[in-house]
Amino acid sequence: MTDGNFDAGSEFLQSFVAESQELLDQVEPCLIELQQSCEATGSVDKETLNSVFRLFHSMKGNASFLCLENTKNVAHEAEALLNLFREGKIELDSSHT
């Protein structure tokens, strides 16, 4: 049993796992691109940062639909951190990489 209302063999849960894997596969190169951009220019590509934010936002929404509270909470915290960078409240620099 998961922390939602679906058992491990649920078609919904299996779809969530597959889609989440795809999202994480997309996040990794974006994070590498952010690191390289920051190291090379001292600033962050805002479009890439927004892409990473949207990927975690999608994962959070999917987890919420399935009542997967732990996964939803982790994705929400990732969103909150990314939002601090997006709003300029935290500057991403080479000390963060």
Side-chain angles (χ1 to χ4, degrees):
M1 186 60 112
T2 66
D3 58 342
N5 296 322
F6 301 93
D7 64 41
S10 164
E11 181 181 329
F12 292 115
L13 188 58
Q14 289 175 359
S15 293
F16 170 78
V17 169
E19 185 171 338
S20 294
Q21 183 63 51
E22 290 175 19
L23 292 172
L24 291 172
D25 287 346
Q26 292 174 39
V27 164
E28 183 180 12
C30 290
L31 292 174
I32 292 169
E33 183 179 329
L34 282 175
Q35 177 184 5
Q36 291 172 343
S37 169
C38 184
E39 289 174 350
T41 66
S43 64
V44 173
D45 179 69
K46 292 195 186 279
E47 187 175 321
T48 304
L49 184 59
N50 288 333
S51 292
V52 173
F53 179 88
R54 285 190 302 274
L55 291 167
F56 278 106
H57 182 75
S58 294
M59 187 179 297
K60 181 183 81 173
N62 294 342
S64 182
F65 173 76
L66 293 173
C67 300
L68 300 172
E69 294 300 315
N70 291 335
T71 304
K72 179 188 83 171
N73 291 338
V74 169
H76 177 73
E77 291 301 322
E79 266 187 332
L81 177 61
L82 291 164
N83 217 27
L84 292 174
F85 290 111
R86 292 170 69 203
E87 295 172 348
K89 293 180 179 175
I90 298 175
E91 288 289 322
L92 188 59
D93 60 36
S94 59
S95 68
H96 294 114
T97 58

Coordinates of all heavy atoms in Angstrom, one line a residue:
M1 N 0.8 -1.2 0.0 CA 0.0 0.0 0.0 C 0.9 1.2 0.0 O 1.9 1.3 0.7 CB -0.9 0.0 1.2 CG -1.9 1.1 1.2 SD -3.0 1.1 -0.1 CE -4.6 0.6 0.6
T2 N 0.5 2.3 -0.7 CA 1.2 3.5 -0.8 C 0.6 4.5 0.2 O -0.3 4.2 0.9 CB 1.1 4.1 -2.2 OG1 -0.2 4.5 -2.4 CG2 1.6 3.1 -3.3
D3 N 1.2 5.7 0.2 CA 0.6 6.7 1.1 C -0.7 7.3 0.5 O -1.3 8.2 1.1 CB 1.6 7.8 1.5 CG 2.2 8.5 0.4 OD1 2.1 8.1 -0.8 OD2 2.8 9.6 0.6
G4 N -1.1 6.9 -0.7 CA -2.3 7.3 -1.3 C -3.3 6.2 -1.2 O -3.2 5.3 -0.4
N5 N -4.3 6.2 -2.1 CA -5.4 5.2 -2.1 C -5.2 4.2 -3.2 O -6.2 3.6 -3.5 CB -6.8 5.9 -2.2 CG -7.0 6.9 -1.0 OD1 -6.7 6.6 0.1 ND2 -7.6 8.0 -1.3
F6 N -4.1 4.0 -3.7 CA -3.8 3.1 -4.8 C -2.8 2.0 -4.4 O -1.9 2.4 -3.7 CB -3.3 3.8 -6.0 CG -4.2 4.9 -6.5 CD1 -4.1 6.2 -6.1 CD2 -5.3 4.6 -7.4 CE1 -4.9 7.2 -6.5 CE2 -6.1 5.6 -7.8 CZ -6.0 6.9 -7.3
D7 N -3.1 0.8 -4.8 CA -2.1 -0.2 -4.4 C -0.9 -0.2 -5.5 O -1.0 0.5 -6.5 CB -2.7 -1.6 -4.4 CG -3.2 -2.1 -5.7 OD1 -2.6 -1.9 -6.7 OD2 -4.3 -2.7 -5.7
A8 N 0.2 -0.9 -5.1 CA 1.4 -0.8 -6.0 C 1.1 -1.3 -7.4 O 1.9 -0.9 -8.3 CB 2.5 -1.6 -5.3
G9 N 0.1 -2.1 -7.7 CA -0.1 -2.6 -9.0 C -1.1 -1.7 -9.8 O -1.4 -2.0 -10.9
S10 N -1.6 -0.6 -9.2 CA -2.5 0.3 -9.8 C -2.0 0.8 -11.1 O -0.9 1.3 -11.2 CB -2.9 1.4 -8.8 OG -3.5 2.5 -9.5
E11 N -2.9 0.9 -12.1 CA -2.5 1.4 -13.4 C -2.2 2.9 -13.2 O -1.3 3.4 -13.8 CB -3.7 1.3 -14.4 CG -3.4 1.8 -15.7 CD -4.6 1.6 -16.7 OE1 -5.4 0.7 -16.5 OE2 -4.8 2.5 -17.5
F12 N -2.9 3.6 -12.3 CA -2.7 5.0 -12.1 C -1.3 5.2 -11.5 O -0.5 6.1 -11.9 CB -3.7 5.7 -11.2 CG -5.1 5.8 -11.7 CD1 -6.1 5.0 -11.2 CD2 -5.3 6.6 -12.8 CE1 -7.4 5.1 -11.7 CE2 -6.6 6.7 -13.4 CZ -7.6 6.0 -12.8
L13 N -0.9 4.4 -10.5 CA 0.4 4.5 -9.9 C 1.5 4.2 -10.8 O 2.5 4.8 -10.9 CB 0.4 3.6 -8.6 CG 1.6 3.8 -7.7 CD1 1.8 5.2 -7.3 CD2 1.6 2.8 -6.6
Q14 N 1.3 3.1 -11.6 CA 2.3 2.8 -12.6 C 2.5 3.9 -13.6 O 3.7 4.2 -14.0 CB 1.9 1.5 -13.3 CG 2.0 0.2 -12.4 CD 1.5 -1.0 -13.1 OE1 1.1 -1.0 -14.2 NE2 1.6 -2.1 -12.4
S15 N 1.5 4.5 -14.0 CA 1.6 5.7 -15.0 C 2.3 6.8 -14.3 O 3.1 7.5 -15.0 CB 0.2 6.1 -15.4 OG -0.4 5.2 -16.2
F16 N 2.0 7.1 -13.0 CA 2.7 8.1 -12.3 C 4.2 7.9 -12.2 O 5.0 8.8 -12.5 CB 2.1 8.3 -10.9 CG 2.9 9.2 -10.0 CD1 2.8 10.5 -10.2 CD2 3.8 8.7 -9.1 CE1 3.6 11.4 -9.4 CE2 4.6 9.5 -8.3 CZ 4.5 10.9 -8.4
V17 N 4.6 6.6 -11.9 CA 6.0 6.3 -11.8 C 6.7 6.5 -13.2 O 7.7 7.1 -13.2 CB 6.2 4.9 -11.3 CG1 7.6 4.4 -11.4 CG2 5.7 4.8 -9.8
A18 N 6.0 6.0 -14.2 CA 6.6 6.2 -15.6 C 6.8 7.7 -15.9 O 7.8 8.1 -16.4 CB 5.8 5.4 -16.6
E19 N 5.7 8.4 -15.7 CA 5.8 9.9 -16.1 C 6.8 10.6 -15.2 O 7.5 11.5 -15.7 CB 4.4 10.5 -15.9 CG 4.4 11.9 -16.4 CD 3.1 12.6 -16.5 OE1 2.0 11.8 -16.6 OE2 3.0 13.8 -16.5
S20 N 6.9 10.3 -13.9 CA 7.8 10.9 -13.0 C 9.2 10.6 -13.5 O 10.1 11.5 -13.4 CB 7.6 10.5 -11.6 OG 6.4 10.9 -11.1
Q21 N 9.5 9.4 -13.9 CA 10.8 9.0 -14.4 C 11.2 9.9 -15.6 O 12.3 10.4 -15.7 CB 10.9 7.5 -14.7 CG 12.3 7.1 -15.2 CD 13.3 7.3 -14.1 OE1 13.1 6.8 -13.0 NE2 14.4 8.0 -14.4
E22 N 10.2 10.1 -16.5 CA 10.4 10.9 -17.7 C 10.7 12.4 -17.2 O 11.6 13.0 -17.8 CB 9.2 10.9 -18.6 CG 9.0 9.6 -19.3 CD 7.8 9.6 -20.1 OE1 7.2 10.6 -20.4 OE2 7.3 8.4 -20.5
L23 N 10.0 12.9 -16.3 CA 10.2 14.2 -15.8 C 11.6 14.4 -15.2 O 12.3 15.4 -15.4 CB 9.1 14.6 -14.8 CG 7.7 14.8 -15.3 CD1 6.7 15.0 -14.2 CD2 7.6 16.0 -16.3
L24 N 12.0 13.4 -14.3 CA 13.3 13.5 -13.7 C 14.4 13.3 -14.8 O 15.5 14.0 -14.7 CB 13.5 12.4 -12.7 CG 12.6 12.6 -11.4 CD1 12.7 11.3 -10.5 CD2 13.0 13.8 -10.7
D25 N 14.2 12.6 -15.8 CA 15.1 12.5 -16.9 C 15.3 13.8 -17.6 O 16.4 14.1 -18.1 CB 14.7 11.4 -17.9 CG 14.9 10.0 -17.4 OD1 15.6 9.8 -16.4 OD2 14.4 9.0 -18.0
Q26 N 14.2 14.6 -17.7 CA 14.3 15.9 -18.3 C 14.9 17.0 -17.3 O 15.6 17.9 -17.8 CB 12.9 16.4 -18.6 CG 12.2 15.6 -19.7 CD 10.8 16.1 -19.9 OE1 10.4 17.2 -19.8 NE2 9.9 15.1 -20.2
V27 N 14.7 16.8 -16.0 CA 15.3 17.7 -15.0 C 16.8 17.7 -15.0 O 17.5 18.7 -15.0 CB 14.7 17.4 -13.6 CG1 15.5 18.1 -12.6 CG2 13.3 17.9 -13.5
E28 N 17.4 16.5 -15.1 CA 18.8 16.3 -15.0 C 19.6 17.2 -15.9 O 20.5 18.0 -15.5 CB 19.2 14.9 -15.1 CG 20.7 14.7 -14.9 CD 21.2 13.2 -15.0 OE1 20.4 12.4 -15.4 OE2 22.3 13.0 -14.6
P29 N 19.3 17.1 -17.3 CA 20.1 18.0 -18.2 C 19.9 19.5 -18.0 O 20.8 20.3 -18.2 CB 19.7 17.5 -19.6 CG 18.5 16.7 -19.4 CD 18.5 16.2 -18.0
C30 N 18.7 19.8 -17.5 CA 18.4 21.2 -17.2 C 19.2 21.7 -16.0 O 19.7 22.8 -16.1 CB 16.9 21.4 -16.9 SG 15.8 21.2 -18.4
L31 N 19.3 20.9 -15.0 CA 20.2 21.3 -13.9 C 21.6 21.4 -14.2 O 22.3 22.3 -13.8 CB 20.0 20.3 -12.7 CG 18.6 20.2 -12.1 CD1 18.5 19.1 -11.1 CD2 18.3 21.6 -11.4
I32 N 22.1 20.5 -15.1 CA 23.5 20.6 -15.6 C 23.7 21.9 -16.4 O 24.7 22.6 -16.2 CB 23.8 19.4 -16.4 CG1 23.9 18.1 -15.5 CG2 25.2 19.6 -17.1 CD1 24.0 16.8 -16.2
E33 N 22.7 22.2 -17.2 CA 22.7 23.4 -18.0 C 22.8 24.7 -17.1 O 23.5 25.6 -17.4 CB 21.5 23.5 -19.0 CG 21.5 24.7 -19.9 CD 20.3 24.7 -20.8 OE1 19.8 23.6 -21.2 OE2 19.9 25.8 -21.2
L34 N 21.9 24.7 -16.0 CA 22.0 25.8 -15.1 C 23.3 25.9 -14.4 O 23.8 27.1 -14.3 CB 20.9 25.6 -14.0 CG 19.5 25.9 -14.4 CD1 18.6 25.5 -13.2 CD2 19.3 27.3 -14.7
Q35 N 23.9 24.8 -14.0 CA 25.2 24.9 -13.4 C 26.3 25.4 -14.4 O 27.1 26.3 -14.1 CB 25.7 23.5 -13.0 CG 27.1 23.5 -12.4 CD 27.6 22.1 -12.0 OE1 26.9 21.1 -12.3 NE2 28.7 22.0 -11.4
Q36 N 26.3 24.9 -15.6 CA 27.3 25.4 -16.6 C 27.1 26.9 -17.0 O 28.0 27.6 -17.1 CB 27.2 24.5 -17.9 CG 27.7 23.1 -17.6 CD 27.4 22.2 -18.8 OE1 26.6 22.5 -19.7 NE2 28.1 21.0 -18.8
S37 N 25.8 27.3 -17.1 CA 25.5 28.7 -17.4 C 26.0 29.6 -16.3 O 26.6 30.6 -16.5 CB 24.0 28.8 -17.6 OG 23.6 30.2 -17.6
C38 N 25.8 29.1 -15.0 CA 26.2 29.9 -13.9 C 27.7 30.0 -13.8 O 28.2 31.1 -13.6 CB 25.6 29.3 -12.6 SG 26.0 30.3 -11.1
E39 N 28.4 28.9 -14.0 CA 29.8 28.9 -14.0 C 30.4 29.8 -15.1 O 31.4 30.5 -14.9 CB 30.4 27.5 -14.0 CG 30.1 26.7 -12.8 CD 30.5 25.3 -12.9 OE1 30.8 24.8 -14.0 OE2 30.5 24.6 -11.8
A40 N 29.8 29.7 -16.3 CA 30.4 30.4 -17.4 C 30.1 31.9 -17.4 O 30.9 32.7 -17.8 CB 29.8 29.8 -18.7
T41 N 28.9 32.3 -17.0 CA 28.5 33.7 -17.1 C 28.2 34.4 -15.8 O 28.1 35.6 -15.8 CB 27.2 33.8 -18.0 OG1 26.1 33.2 -17.2 CG2 27.3 33.1 -19.3
G42 N 28.1 33.6 -14.7 CA 27.8 34.1 -13.4 C 26.3 34.4 -13.2 O 25.9 35.0 -12.2
S43 N 25.5 34.0 -14.2 CA 24.1 34.2 -14.1 C 23.4 33.0 -14.6 O 24.0 32.1 -15.2 CB 23.6 35.4 -14.9 OG 23.8 35.2 -16.3
V44 N 22.1 32.9 -14.3 CA 21.3 31.8 -14.6 C 20.4 32.1 -15.8 O 19.8 33.2 -15.9 CB 20.4 31.4 -13.4 CG1 19.4 30.4 -13.7 CG2 21.2 31.0 -12.2
D45 N 20.2 31.1 -16.7 CA 19.3 31.2 -17.8 C 17.9 31.0 -17.2 O 17.5 30.0 -16.7 CB 19.6 30.1 -18.8 CG 18.6 30.2 -20.0 OD1 18.7 31.2 -20.7 OD2 17.8 29.3 -20.1
K46 N 17.1 32.1 -17.2 CA 15.8 32.1 -16.6 C 14.8 31.1 -17.2 O 14.0 30.5 -16.6 CB 15.2 33.5 -16.5 CG 16.0 34.4 -15.6 CD 15.2 35.7 -15.3 CE 16.1 36.6 -14.5 NZ 16.1 36.3 -13.1
E47 N 15.0 31.0 -18.5 CA 14.1 30.0 -19.2 C 14.3 28.6 -18.8 O 13.4 27.8 -18.5 CB 14.3 30.1 -20.8 CG 13.4 29.3 -21.6 CD 13.5 29.5 -23.0 OE1 13.8 30.6 -23.5 OE2 13.4 28.5 -23.8
T48 N 15.6 28.2 -18.6 CA 15.9 26.9 -18.1 C 15.4 26.7 -16.6 O 14.9 25.7 -16.3 CB 17.4 26.6 -18.1 OG1 17.9 26.8 -19.5 CG2 17.8 25.2 -17.7
L49 N 15.6 27.8 -15.8 CA 15.1 27.7 -14.4 C 13.6 27.5 -14.4 O 13.1 26.7 -13.6 CB 15.5 29.0 -13.7 CG 15.2 29.1 -12.2 CD1 15.8 28.0 -11.4 CD2 15.6 30.5 -11.7
N50 N 12.9 28.2 -15.3 CA 11.5 28.1 -15.3 C 11.1 26.7 -15.8 O 10.1 26.2 -15.4 CB 10.8 29.2 -16.3 CG 10.9 30.5 -15.6 OD1 10.9 30.7 -14.4 ND2 10.9 31.6 -16.5
S51 N 11.8 26.1 -16.7 CA 11.6 24.8 -17.2 C 11.7 23.8 -16.0 O 10.8 22.9 -15.9 CB 12.5 24.4 -18.3 OG 12.3 25.1 -19.4
V52 N 12.7 23.9 -15.2 CA 12.9 23.0 -14.1 C 11.7 23.2 -13.1 O 11.2 22.2 -12.6 CB 14.2 23.3 -13.4 CG1 14.3 22.5 -12.1 CG2 15.4 23.0 -14.3
F53 N 11.3 24.4 -12.9 CA 10.2 24.7 -12.0 C 8.9 24.0 -12.5 O 8.2 23.4 -11.7 CB 10.0 26.2 -11.9 CG 8.8 26.6 -11.0 CD1 9.0 26.7 -9.6 CD2 7.5 26.7 -11.5 CE1 7.9 27.1 -8.8 CE2 6.5 27.1 -10.7 CZ 6.6 27.2 -9.4
R54 N 8.7 24.1 -13.8 CA 7.5 23.5 -14.4 C 7.5 22.0 -14.3 O 6.4 21.4 -14.0 CB 7.3 24.0 -15.8 CG 6.8 25.4 -16.0 CD 6.4 25.7 -17.4 NE 7.5 25.5 -18.3 CZ 8.4 26.4 -18.7 NH1 8.3 27.6 -18.1 NH2 9.3 26.2 -19.5
L55 N 8.7 21.4 -14.4 CA 8.8 19.9 -14.3 C 8.4 19.5 -12.9 O 7.6 18.5 -12.7 CB 10.2 19.5 -14.7 CG 10.5 19.6 -16.1 CD1 12.0 19.4 -16.3 CD2 9.7 18.6 -17.0
F56 N 8.9 20.2 -11.9 CA 8.5 19.8 -10.5 C 7.1 20.1 -10.2 O 6.4 19.4 -9.5 CB 9.5 20.5 -9.5 CG 10.8 19.8 -9.3 CD1 11.9 20.3 -9.8 CD2 10.8 18.6 -8.6 CE1 13.1 19.7 -9.7 CE2 12.0 17.9 -8.4 CZ 13.2 18.5 -9.0
H57 N 6.6 21.2 -10.8 CA 5.2 21.6 -10.6 C 4.3 20.4 -11.2 O 3.3 20.1 -10.6 CB 4.9 22.9 -11.3 CG 3.5 23.4 -11.1 ND1 3.0 23.9 -9.9 CD2 2.4 23.4 -12.0 CE1 1.7 24.2 -10.1 NE2 1.3 23.9 -11.3
S58 N 4.6 19.9 -12.3 CA 3.9 18.8 -12.9 C 3.9 17.6 -12.0 O 2.9 16.9 -11.8 CB 4.4 18.5 -14.3 OG 4.2 19.5 -15.2
M59 N 5.1 17.3 -11.5 CA 5.2 16.1 -10.6 C 4.4 16.3 -9.4 O 3.7 15.4 -8.9 CB 6.7 15.9 -10.3 CG 6.8 14.6 -9.5 SD 8.6 14.3 -9.1 CE 9.3 14.1 -10.7
K60 N 4.4 17.5 -8.8 CA 3.6 17.8 -7.6 C 2.1 17.6 -7.9 O 1.4 17.0 -7.1 CB 3.8 19.2 -7.1 CG 3.1 19.6 -5.9 CD 3.3 21.0 -5.4 CE 2.4 21.9 -6.3 NZ 2.4 23.3 -5.8
G61 N 1.6 18.1 -9.0 CA 0.2 18.0 -9.4 C -0.2 16.5 -9.6 O -1.2 16.1 -9.1
N62 N 0.7 15.7 -10.2 CA 0.4 14.3 -10.4 C 0.4 13.6 -9.1 O -0.5 12.7 -8.8 CB 1.4 13.7 -11.4 CG 1.3 14.2 -12.8 OD1 0.3 14.8 -13.2 ND2 2.4 14.0 -13.5
A63 N 1.3 13.9 -8.2 CA 1.4 13.2 -6.9 C 0.2 13.6 -6.1 O -0.4 12.8 -5.4 CB 2.7 13.6 -6.2
S64 N -0.2 14.8 -6.2 CA -1.4 15.3 -5.4 C -2.7 14.6 -5.9 O -3.5 14.2 -5.0 CB -1.6 16.8 -5.6 OG -2.6 17.3 -4.9
F65 N -2.8 14.4 -7.2 CA -4.0 13.7 -7.7 C -4.1 12.3 -7.1 O -5.2 11.8 -6.9 CB -3.9 13.6 -9.2 CG -4.9 12.8 -9.9 CD1 -6.2 13.2 -10.0 CD2 -4.6 11.5 -10.4 CE1 -7.2 12.5 -10.6 CE2 -5.6 10.7 -11.0 CZ -6.9 11.2 -11.1
L66 N -2.9 11.6 -6.9 CA -2.9 10.3 -6.4 C -2.8 10.2 -4.9 O -2.6 9.1 -4.3 CB -1.7 9.5 -7.1 CG -1.9 9.3 -8.6 CD1 -0.6 8.7 -9.1 CD2 -3.1 8.4 -8.8
C67 N -2.8 11.4 -4.3 CA -2.7 11.4 -2.8 C -1.4 10.9 -2.3 O -1.3 10.3 -1.2 CB -3.9 10.7 -2.1 SG -5.5 11.4 -2.6
L68 N -0.3 11.1 -3.0 CA 1.0 10.7 -2.6 C 1.7 11.8 -1.9 O 2.4 12.6 -2.5 CB 1.8 10.2 -3.9 CG 1.2 9.1 -4.7 CD1 2.0 8.8 -6.0 CD2 1.2 7.8 -3.8
E69 N 1.3 12.0 -0.7 CA 1.7 13.2 0.1 C 3.2 13.4 0.2 O 3.6 14.5 0.1 CB 1.0 13.1 1.5 CG -0.5 13.2 1.5 CD -1.0 14.5 0.9 OE1 -0.5 15.6 1.2 OE2 -1.9 14.4 0.0
N70 N 3.9 12.3 0.5 CA 5.4 12.5 0.6 C 6.0 13.0 -0.7 O 6.8 14.0 -0.7 CB 6.1 11.2 1.0 CG 5.7 10.8 2.4 OD1 5.4 11.6 3.3 ND2 5.8 9.5 2.7
T71 N 5.6 12.5 -1.8 CA 6.1 12.9 -3.1 C 5.7 14.3 -3.4 O 6.5 15.1 -3.9 CB 5.7 11.9 -4.2 OG1 6.1 10.6 -3.9 CG2 6.3 12.3 -5.5
K72 N 4.4 14.6 -3.1 CA 3.9 15.9 -3.3 C 4.7 16.9 -2.5 O 5.0 18.0 -3.0 CB 2.4 16.0 -3.0 CG 1.8 17.4 -3.2 CD 0.4 17.4 -2.6 CE 0.5 17.7 -1.1 NZ -0.8 18.0 -0.5
N73 N 4.9 16.6 -1.3 CA 5.6 17.5 -0.4 C 7.1 17.8 -0.9 O 7.5 18.9 -0.8 CB 5.6 17.0 1.1 CG 4.2 17.1 1.7 OD1 3.4 17.8 1.2 ND2 4.0 16.3 2.7
V74 N 7.8 16.8 -1.3 CA 9.1 16.9 -1.8 C 9.1 17.8 -3.0 O 9.9 18.8 -3.2 CB 9.8 15.6 -2.1 CG1 11.1 15.8 -2.9 CG2 10.0 14.8 -0.8
A75 N 8.2 17.6 -4.0 CA 8.1 18.4 -5.2 C 7.7 19.8 -4.8 O 8.3 20.8 -5.4 CB 7.1 17.8 -6.1
H76 N 6.9 20.0 -3.8 CA 6.5 21.3 -3.4 C 7.7 22.1 -2.8 O 7.9 23.3 -3.1 CB 5.4 21.3 -2.4 CG 5.0 22.6 -1.8 ND1 4.3 23.5 -2.6 CD2 5.3 23.2 -0.6 CE1 4.1 24.6 -1.9 NE2 4.7 24.5 -0.7
E77 N 8.5 21.4 -2.0 CA 9.7 22.1 -1.5 C 10.7 22.4 -2.6 O 11.4 23.5 -2.5 CB 10.4 21.2 -0.4 CG 9.5 21.0 0.8 CD 9.3 22.3 1.5 OE1 10.1 23.2 1.6 OE2 8.1 22.5 2.0
A78 N 10.8 21.6 -3.6 CA 11.7 21.9 -4.7 C 11.2 23.1 -5.4 O 12.0 24.0 -5.8 CB 11.8 20.7 -5.7
E79 N 9.9 23.2 -5.6 CA 9.2 24.4 -6.3 C 9.5 25.6 -5.4 O 9.9 26.7 -6.0 CB 7.7 24.2 -6.3 CG 7.1 23.7 -7.5 CD 5.6 23.7 -7.4 OE1 5.0 23.7 -6.3 OE2 5.0 23.8 -8.5
A80 N 9.4 25.5 -4.1 CA 9.6 26.7 -3.3 C 11.0 27.2 -3.4 O 11.2 28.4 -3.4 CB 9.2 26.3 -1.8
L81 N 12.0 26.3 -3.4 CA 13.4 26.7 -3.5 C 13.6 27.3 -4.9 O 14.2 28.4 -4.9 CB 14.3 25.5 -3.3 CG 15.8 25.7 -3.5 CD1 16.3 26.8 -2.5 CD2 16.6 24.5 -3.4
L82 N 13.1 26.7 -5.9 CA 13.3 27.2 -7.2 C 12.6 28.6 -7.4 O 13.1 29.5 -8.0 CB 12.8 26.3 -8.3 CG 13.6 25.0 -8.5 CD1 12.7 23.9 -9.2 CD2 14.9 25.3 -9.2
N83 N 11.5 28.8 -6.7 CA 10.8 30.0 -6.8 C 11.6 31.2 -6.1 O 11.6 32.3 -6.6 CB 9.4 29.9 -6.1 CG 8.4 30.7 -6.8 OD1 8.5 31.0 -8.0 ND2 7.4 31.1 -6.1
L84 N 12.4 30.8 -5.1 CA 13.3 31.9 -4.5 C 14.3 32.4 -5.5 O 14.6 33.5 -5.5 CB 14.0 31.3 -3.2 CG 13.1 31.0 -2.0 CD1 13.8 30.3 -0.9 CD2 12.4 32.3 -1.5
F85 N 14.8 31.5 -6.3 CA 15.8 31.9 -7.3 C 15.0 32.6 -8.4 O 15.6 33.6 -8.9 CB 16.4 30.6 -7.9 CG 17.4 30.0 -7.0 CD1 17.1 28.7 -6.5 CD2 18.6 30.6 -6.7 CE1 18.0 28.1 -5.7 CE2 19.5 29.9 -5.8 CZ 19.2 28.7 -5.3
R86 N 13.8 32.2 -8.8 CA 13.1 32.9 -9.8 C 12.7 34.3 -9.4 O 12.7 35.2 -10.3 CB 11.8 32.1 -10.2 CG 12.1 30.8 -10.8 CD 10.8 29.9 -10.9 NE 9.9 30.5 -11.9 CZ 8.6 30.3 -11.8 NH1 8.0 29.5 -10.9 NH2 7.8 30.8 -12.7
E87 N 12.4 34.5 -8.2 CA 12.0 35.8 -7.7 C 13.2 36.7 -7.3 O 13.0 37.8 -6.9 CB 11.1 35.7 -6.5 CG 9.8 35.0 -6.8 CD 8.9 34.7 -5.6 OE1 9.5 34.8 -4.5 OE2 7.7 34.4 -5.8
G88 N 14.4 36.2 -7.4 CA 15.6 36.9 -7.1 C 15.9 37.1 -5.6 O 16.7 37.9 -5.3
K89 N 15.2 36.3 -4.8 CA 15.4 36.4 -3.4 C 16.7 35.7 -3.0 O 17.3 36.0 -2.0 CB 14.2 35.8 -2.6 CG 13.0 36.6 -2.8 CD 11.8 36.0 -2.1 CE 10.6 36.9 -2.3 NZ 9.4 36.4 -1.7
I90 N 17.1 34.7 -3.8 CA 18.4 34.1 -3.7 C 19.1 34.1 -5.0 O 18.5 33.8 -6.0 CB 18.3 32.6 -3.3 CG1 17.6 32.4 -1.9 CG2 19.7 31.9 -3.2 CD1 17.4 31.0 -1.5
E91 N 20.3 34.6 -5.0 CA 21.1 34.6 -6.3 C 21.9 33.3 -6.4 O 22.5 32.8 -5.5 CB 22.2 35.7 -6.2 CG 21.6 37.1 -6.4 CD 21.0 37.4 -7.8 OE1 21.7 36.9 -8.8 OE2 20.0 38.0 -7.9
L92 N 21.7 32.7 -7.6 CA 22.4 31.4 -7.9 C 23.8 31.8 -8.4 O 23.9 32.6 -9.4 CB 21.7 30.6 -8.9 CG 22.2 29.2 -9.2 CD1 22.2 28.4 -7.9 CD2 21.4 28.5 -10.3
D93 N 24.8 31.4 -7.7 CA 26.2 31.7 -8.2 C 27.0 30.4 -8.1 O 26.5 29.4 -7.7 CB 26.8 32.8 -7.4 CG 26.9 32.6 -5.9 OD1 27.1 31.4 -5.5 OD2 26.7 33.6 -5.1
S94 N 28.3 30.5 -8.4 CA 29.1 29.3 -8.5 C 29.3 28.6 -7.1 O 29.6 27.5 -7.1 CB 30.5 29.7 -9.0 OG 31.1 30.7 -8.2
S95 N 29.0 29.3 -6.0 CA 29.1 28.7 -4.7 C 28.0 27.7 -4.5 O 28.0 26.8 -3.6 CB 29.1 29.7 -3.6 OG 27.9 30.3 -3.4
H96 N 26.9 27.8 -5.3 CA 25.8 26.9 -5.2 C 26.0 25.6 -6.0 O 25.1 24.7 -6.0 CB 24.5 27.6 -5.6 CG 24.1 28.6 -4.7 ND1 24.0 30.0 -5.0 CD2 23.7 28.6 -3.3 CE1 23.7 30.7 -4.0 NE2 23.4 29.9 -3.0
T97 N 26.9 25.6 -6.9 CA 27.1 24.5 -7.8 C 28.0 23.4 -7.3 O 28.7 23.5 -6.3 CB 27.7 25.0 -9.2 OG1 28.9 25.6 -9.0 CG2 26.7 26.0 -9.8

